[in-house]
Amino acid sequence: MGFLEALGQYPFLQYALAGGLLASLGCGLIGPFVVVRRLGYMAGGIAHSVLGGMGAALLLGAGPFTGALVAAIAAALAIGLVKLHLRHDEDTVIGAVWAVGMAAGILFISRLPGYNIDLIAYLFGNVLMVSPADLVRMASLDGVILLVLVLSFDRLVAVAFDPEFARLRGVPVDAYYLLTLCLVALSVVLLVRVVGLILVIALLTLPAAIARQIHVSLRAMMATSCLLGALFTTTGLALAYHRDWPAGATIILLAGLAYLLVVAAGALRRRPAR
Amino acid sequence: MSAAIRLHGVSFSYDGHRVLEDVSLEVPAGEFLGLIGPNGGGKSTLIRIILGLLRPDSGTVELLGLPPEEGRRRVGYVPQFAGFDREFPVSVEETVLMGRLPARTFGGYTRADREAVARLLEELALEAYRTRPLRTLSGGELQRVLIARALACDPELLILDEPTANVDLRGEQDIFGLLARLNQRMTILVVSHDIGFITGYVTRVACLNRTLLCHGTGELDRAAIDHLYGGHVHRIRHLHEEG
């Protein structure tokens, strides 16, 4: 049976496709900020800390989504506040949040009765298990991200570009920096369901990095990143269905391959003619 | 009209290392002041104190008659080139619009902001560059864009940190010509390492090497050179006397 035919028949595939598209929207909007501000490592730290939140939530009887959301926001604020106020080395703080979050998650999950939680699904994602309730949550996160961007885009860009100048002009720079990190946290939570927390950074950065090779404005980068994300998740899902490959990994490999091709093409084009 | 900048007894140290010592300075409204001095002499630190980005260990700072955090809203600031990312995906128009910040909390720049920026681009002959990304500009063009951004808030005082550091000679003349024109409607403080060039344009020169000495133009005499470059110049003169 072909992918399209199966898509018409199996709701779980429809949910998976919808989940992939919803995640593409959020990460396409925030990915460009991550790339131009070089927040990739920070996004990785936030993503890995999510395991601690999901483990704690399961132990307390709450849903893993709530746990992931709380942990991601807490990690973003912790990293941001330490950077702003304690002048600690940012690298060290991110590394600590990264590893401590994972360690806490593994400890919490080991305390669960029966130890029957599918750890692999959290680490590498399982988009085929996306439920209608998940889709509603993901759409809400997209809605929040969109709303914040529509209202605050100019200030967010100004703070990303030249924070000192924005501060002189009376913009509360620290607050907008923390807001940027919280948006990154939301997009991380969106992606965890689709590609898993280990692979999040790739889908957050690769579409935006490709878009940066093409565009010279942040708005255009966002639009193209969204489309590229949708392209990778959709074709990745189809390929994974045909070949019986893990969907998250297939999506990431497609994105990585496309990035490699675009970078290579750019390097060839820029080489001076002899 | 009160002074644009008033510093009294300002001292500042980085990690126990004294960078500024008992600096007092009064810049009357309408002046074009050149601040010169060797690298590490404290020029950029003093600018950051005037703008309220650093707090002095002792002494007082007044900017347009207000504490620096309030006064700086009516100051146009042109930072050094090195400070920001030229690869950032932003156009000339978007960059100059940032001079209209803080913008609305919800909704960003207004139509009035965009119109003010359009007028400014016209005044500085930057219209043709409106949609160009920053990374395609030459040093002189980028410097004009940064000056336009500083002017976008209709400042009473313009502060420029090494505006000609990455600009060729022709661009340097253009920029100082522009500043001379702007000086007719605002006070200007320009930081430069280039003693020779700056004295042709400014009304007064302040020499900063941890402590501050002020001179009118044309008075940039031996006392000033000695203050800036110390024993080295002195030793050469001594040799001449012996020979």
Side-chain angles (χ1 to χ4, degrees):
Chain A
M1 192 178 348
F3 177 68
L4 286 177
E5 200 183 327
L7 195 60
Q9 240 171 59
Y10 300 122
F12 79 92
L13 268 186
Q14 295 161 6
Y15 300 154
L17 184 64
L21 293 177
L22 286 172
S24 303
L25 178 62
C27 73
L29 293 173
I30 299 306
F33 279 98
V34 174
V35 169
V36 299
R37 285 211 65 170
R38 301 184 184 87
L39 298 175
Y41 187 50
M42 186 177 294
I46 294 172
H48 285 74
S49 75
V50 156
L51 190 69
M54 292 198 292
L58 289 171
L59 207 57
L60 296 169
F65 178 86
T66 312
L69 190 59
V70 170
I73 296 284
L77 291 177
I79 294 170
L81 287 171
V82 166
K83 183 186 151 79
L84 289 176
H85 294 295
L86 298 183
R87 293 204 211 144
H88 264 262
D89 188 11
E90 196 181 341
D91 250 29
T92 313
V93 177
I94 295 172
V97 168
W98 185 307
V100 168
M102 293 263 335
I106 290 166
L107 184 74
F108 290 147
I109 289 172
S110 78
R111 304 316 300 160
L112 286 168
Y115 196 63
N116 57 358
I117 298 300
D118 189 2
L119 193 60
I120 294 290
Y122 291 148
L123 297 182
F124 299 103
N126 193 349
V127 72
L128 299 178
M129 297 291 283
V130 168
S131 67
D134 286 329
L135 292 179
V136 171
R137 295 188 195 108
M138 293 174 80
S140 324
L141 288 186
D142 278 329
V144 171
I145 291 173
L146 259 176
L147 186 71
V148 172
L149 283 180
V150 166
L151 293 177
S152 309
F153 183 77
D154 290 334
R155 284 188 177 184
L156 287 166
V157 173
V159 169
F161 173 62
D162 190 344
E164 182 175 273
F165 188 85
R167 187 188 303 278
L168 291 176
R169 296 294 325 132
V171 176
V173 170
D174 292 352
Y176 280 89
Y177 175 69
L178 293 176
L179 180 63
T180 307
L181 297 190
C182 287
L183 289 174
V184 172
L186 294 188
S187 61
V188 162
V189 174
L190 261 175
L191 284 175
V192 164
R193 196 76 185 97
V194 178
V195 292
L197 57 91
I198 291 182
L199 303 181
V200 160
I201 320 175
L203 213 48
L204 202 53
T205 56
L206 291 178
I210 294 171
R212 192 178 194 180
Q213 304 279 323
I214 307 168
H215 297 296
V216 289
S217 100
L218 208 58
R219 278 192 180 83
M221 267 178 79
M222 289 172 153
T224 301
S225 308
C226 290
L227 291 177
L228 285 171
L231 182 73
F232 296 143
T233 47
T234 309
T235 48
L237 199 59
L239 197 59
Y241 173 81
H242 275 293
R243 297 273 163 178
D244 196 20
W245 289 347
T250 309
I251 291 167
I252 298 299
L253 286 172
L254 275 177
L257 191 64
Y259 175 66
L260 207 61
L261 288 175
V262 169
V263 168
L268 281 178
R269 208 177 44 220
R270 270 194 293 275
R271 208 166 63 174
R274 299 189 178 201
Chain B
M1 171 99 199
S2 63
I5 302 171
R6 190 176 282 139
L7 301 175
H8 186 76
V10 167
S11 295
F12 188 82
S13 306
Y14 275 119
D15 300 325
H17 177 71
R18 182 56 57 104
V19 188
L20 298 173
E21 181 135 18
D22 194 24
V23 171
S24 296
L25 172 69
E26 189 159 319
V27 182
E31 189 170 57
F32 190 158
L33 179 74
L35 180 65
I36 61 174
N39 286 332
K43 300 189 299 288
S44 292
T45 303
L46 188 63
I47 295 298
R48 296 176 68 76
I49 285 175
I50 291 171
L51 291 168
L53 292 167
L54 288 174
R55 205 158 285 171
D57 300 335
S58 58
T60 57
V61 184
E62 233 178 70
L63 188 55
L64 300 168
L66 297 165
E69 291 80 6
E70 294 168 39
R72 69 192 183 194
R73 292 288 294 276
R74 292 185 282 141
V75 175
Y77 175 54
V78 181
Q80 271 190 45
F81 266 47
F84 68 89
D85 178 13
R86 282 186 74 170
E87 292 295 313
F88 198 95
V90 66
S91 71
V92 166
E93 183 185 30
E94 288 166 322
T95 305
V96 178
L97 267 169
M98 289 175 202
R100 301 291 297 184
L101 288 168
R104 288 170 298 171
T105 306
F106 302 113
Y109 305 118
T110 61
R111 176 196 286 245
D113 290 334
R114 287 172 202 284
E115 285 167 359
V117 166
R119 281 195 300 276
L120 209 49
L121 291 179
E122 195 183 332
E123 187 190 336
L124 297 196
L126 285 166
E127 272 173 309
Y129 302 89
R130 193 174 65 85
T131 57
R132 287 263 296 271
L134 288 193
R135 68 172 175 223
T136 64
L137 302 181
S138 73
E141 289 159 356
L142 178 58
Q143 196 63 59
R144 288 221 307 281
V145 170
L146 294 182
I147 292 173
R149 179 178 72 159
L151 293 174
C153 68
D154 294 322
E156 291 168 41
L157 166 67
L158 188 62
I159 298 180
L160 306 94
D161 197 348
E162 298 278 6
T164 55
N166 288 301
V167 177
D168 60 21
L169 189 63
R170 173 73 204 290
E172 195 165 305
Q173 286 168 350
D174 286 350
I175 285 170
F176 275 104
L178 170 65
L179 294 182
R181 188 151 53 86
L182 290 171
N183 185 221
Q184 292 167 4
R185 60 179 208 246
M186 64 189 75
T187 315
I188 295 182
L189 166 58
V190 57
V191 171
S192 181
H193 62 281
D194 189 349
I195 307 176
F197 204 74
I198 201 173
T199 46
Y201 291 92
V202 297
T203 42
R204 193 163 59 124
V205 173
C207 309
L208 183 66
N209 189 5
R210 200 160 58 95
T211 55
L212 190 80
L213 279 182
C214 279
H215 311 272
T217 49
E219 295 174 28
L220 204 62
D221 53 6
R222 208 188 69 229
I225 305 290
D226 279 356
H227 174 63
L228 289 174
Y229 300 105
H232 185 59
V233 178
H234 189 73
R235 210 162 32 241
I236 293 169
R237 186 172 56 85
H238 190 70
L239 260 172
H240 273 280
E241 282 171 0
E242 297 274 303

